[in-house]
Amino acid sequence: MDLQAIVNDTWNALADERGGGTPARYIPALAAVDPCKFGIALATDDGQVACAGDADEKFSIQSISKVFALALALEREGSALWDAVGREPSGDAFNSIVQLEKEKGIPRNPFINSGAIVTTDRFIGRRGVDEAVRDLIDRLRRMGRNPQIDFDQDVARSESEAGERNRALAWFLADFGRLLNPVEEVLSVYFRQCALSMSCRQLAESALFLAFDGTDPVTGQKMCSASRARRINALMLLCGHYDNSGQFAFEVGFPGKSGVGGGILASVPGRAAIAVWSPGLNRAGTSLLGAKALAEIARRTGWSVFSGQLPEI
Ligand code: DON
């Protein structure tokens, strides 16, 4: 299968739809991004990365960072993390607070904002926040094979300034005694984590571990065990797009994680990691064109986690 041709054809088939959807405006720094950006990168275990469009331009990865934070929090905490955060789809928006009170401060899953704040808190653990941020960036630089990967200070500041909703969630968690660290310290890491700036190529390379049993098949670096990678994929499939997860599984059929910067990271177990970017979002905060591109790649490759057939690469 000519994956570069599939990526090119997918990009060309959708290029006229650039600018569709609505870019996130609740984080002012994100509203300044050109809505017509569109990139695709598909990384495979032979070290190849098939790219099209703006695949090498960095963007704010936002909630995609929650996947990496989850893997790293599990590494630190082990399965004790699951005492603090659930594994069920919420059926509500990513920043919803309604279930948190009824369920006594145990967020439904690690991908809604409340769950990600808990995960970040556990990733920080008992060390200082700056050490935790350095550790996170260090790991991503290694996984993304690029020493320049960093967070964007303007985006982090912008999100903190507009961060009332996340503060409300974090204070609710603190009231239930669910955080180890002070609210503002946890949020200072969470905002920086969401403000990580990466390209589609870097994201796809960083996420190969999800598609290949926890270990990057190109560099040999182990991020997590095979069973943990499987479970992260399961959570991405069920919760990666919040109240749009069912639709994404229906249309695309890959575990995926969206971010309000317009990126989507998908893993195709045993096959590839794919990152797409287009800033216009649907009502659930998933990139409109990005989801279409992934559906198109699924259709053209025949890949799906729901298929019994294994098409040739
Ligand atoms: O906390 C927030 O609201 C953002 N930093 C991240 C939200 C997000 O990316 C939702 N995903 N599609």
Side-chain angles (χ1 to χ4, degrees):
M1 195 157 21
D2 186 345
L3 293 172
Q4 182 62 61
I6 288 176
V7 165
N8 287 343
D9 292 349
T10 298
W11 194 93
N12 287 326
L14 294 170
D16 287 349
E17 296 184 38
R18 280 173 292 172
T22 315
R25 291 195 223 290
Y26 75 103
I27 301 173
L30 296 183
V33 177
D34 176 358
C36 289
K37 294 290 177 185
F38 181 29
I40 306 176
L42 185 157
T44 42
D45 60 343
D46 54 3
Q48 302 284 318
V49 187
C51 289
D54 301 304
D56 283 306
E57 190 163 324
K58 291 185 180 184
F59 60 94
S60 191
I61 73 169
Q62 293 294 320
S63 288
I64 296 171
S65 68
K66 296 169 180 173
V67 176
F68 301 109
L70 173 61
L72 294 171
L74 282 167
E75 184 180 74
R76 286 185 74 80
E77 278 271 300
S79 41
L81 179 70
W82 301 122
D83 297 336
V85 62
R87 300 177 296 252
E88 295 294 344
S90 72
D92 279 321
F94 61 86
N95 56 1
S96 175
I97 202 167
V98 290
Q99 288 164 348
L100 205 54
E101 181 173 24
K102 279 191 286 190
E103 297 175 9
K104 302 199 167 23
I106 310 264
R108 281 279 174 102
N109 66 67
F111 295 146
I112 51 175
N113 286 10
S114 53
I117 290 167
V118 169
T119 306
T120 297
D121 177 56
R122 296 307 198 274
F123 169 67
I124 299 167
R126 298 291 183 192
R127 57 193 168 154
V129 290
D130 291 331
E131 187 187 333
V133 172
R134 265 198 308 278
D135 184 19
L136 175 68
I137 291 174
D138 220 53
R139 293 296 289 266
L140 277 170
R141 286 179 177 170
R142 276 188 273 146
M143 300 305 290
R145 305 172 210 161
N146 189 312
Q148 257 115 46
I149 290 172
D150 213 337
F151 70 95
D152 181 324
Q153 303 206 13
D154 293 339
V155 174
R157 197 176 315 115
S158 179
E159 182 164 357
S160 181
E161 283 167 9
E164 284 85 357
R165 179 65 74 112
N166 283 324
R167 284 197 174 80
L169 293 170
W171 279 110
F172 236 88
L173 291 163
D175 181 60
F176 281 109
R178 304 292 182 198
L179 297 179
L180 303 174
N181 295 287
V183 162
E184 281 303 327
E185 290 190 13
V186 180
L187 289 177
S188 84
V189 178
Y190 174 77
F191 292 145
R192 282 180 277 181
Q193 159 198 320
C194 289
L196 279 162
S197 202
M198 292 171 74
S199 66
C200 289
R201 182 194 297 271
Q202 290 167 354
L203 269 175
E205 288 183 327
S206 305
L208 274 169
F209 79 95
L210 289 171
F212 292 94
D213 289 331
T215 299
D216 182 329
V218 180
T219 64
Q221 286 183 81
K222 185 171 175 177
M223 185 76 160
C224 62
S225 68
S227 68
R228 214 160 254 170
R230 220 171 287 164
R231 288 172 160 172
I232 296 172
N233 280 311
L235 288 167
M236 288 167 71
L237 188 76
L238 292 171
C239 317
H241 303 269
Y242 322 106
D243 48 341
N244 194 227
S245 300
Q247 180 70 10
F248 188 85
F250 186 86
E251 297 289 348
V252 177
F254 305 149
K257 182 73 212 78
S258 60
V260 289
I264 306 176
L265 179 61
S267 86
V268 193
R271 300 266 174 221
I274 312 171
V276 294
W277 173 46
S278 167
L281 309 175
N282 68 15
R283 52 154 193 89
T286 294
S287 170
L288 196 68
L289 200 55
K292 281 191 184 179
L294 287 166
E296 195 57 29
I297 289 172
R299 190 181 69 77
R300 288 173 190 259
T301 54
W303 293 346
S304 166
V305 291
F306 301 110
S307 170
Q309 304 217 338
L310 292 176
E312 286 304 309
I313 287 198

